Amino acid sequence: MATEPRGNDSPASLAVPGRTARFAGEPQDVTGARVAAEEFLRTLARATPPAAPECWHDIVLIVTELASNAVQYAPGPFVLQLRPTFDGVHVTLHDTNPTAPAPRPFHPDAGGGGIGWHLIHTLCSQVSVVSAAEGKDVHVFLPW
């Protein structure tokens, strides 16, 4: 995992730069993405505490879901970006699969799966997917 600070021009970013983390796309990189999110949130919380305790956990959960989907459905590397916004956190995950995610039926008796995309849409205030020939960017905004 390689991380680098990234800036932007939102008010919170004056105190907290965004973060970019690059991963090879291996299963252990899901944990690496979660750790990168935790490090970013620790820095953000020192500058601007979350409005509610669940904000932190929701962001980490969404990063875990996005990274897990990238490892499972998009061969190759992925890039995670986190940046503060005026009222939350913008998370972008770029992977190598240009196909936009689609909801699947959830069948708990069949071994799980199918709940992640529904969860992302439930917890995030905005969700968008930008596809291109070389992959896609999934953008989500969460409250902080």
Side-chain angles (χ1 to χ4, degrees):
M1 166 186 73
T3 62
E4 58 197 56
R6 293 182 48 92
N8 77 55
D9 54 7
S10 69
S13 71
L14 296 176
V16 179
R19 168 158 297 178
T20 298
R22 292 168 169 45
F23 300 93
E26 300 296 326
Q28 65 271 16
D29 292 334
V30 175
T31 300
R34 192 170 50 246
V35 168
E38 293 265 1
E39 290 170 354
F40 170 78
L41 294 175
R42 266 193 293 283
T43 302
L44 182 60
R46 283 193 293 272
T48 308
E54 62 269 14
C55 293
W56 179 297
H57 302 293
D58 289 351
I59 293 167
V60 172
L61 177 60
I62 294 304
V63 165
T64 302
E65 285 293 329
L66 291 172
S68 178
N69 286 347
V71 168
Q72 185 172 3
Y73 299 111
F78 67 91
V79 178
L80 173 68
Q81 296 178 305
L82 302 112
R83 69 177 180 86
T85 65
F86 71 95
D87 65 348
V89 173
H90 176 195
V91 177
T92 305
L93 190 130
H94 174 82
D95 67 35
T96 60
N97 184 346
T99 304
R104 296 185 297 134
F106 175 57
H107 301 290
D109 55 332
I115 197 167
W117 196 237
H118 297 288
L119 186 64
I120 289 167
H121 278 273
T122 299
L123 294 177
C124 299
S125 58
Q126 294 180 35
V127 178
S128 65
V129 179
V130 179
S131 293
E134 75 282 351
K136 70 178 165 299
D137 291 330
V138 179
H139 297 267
V140 300
F141 293 83
L142 292 110
W144 181 253

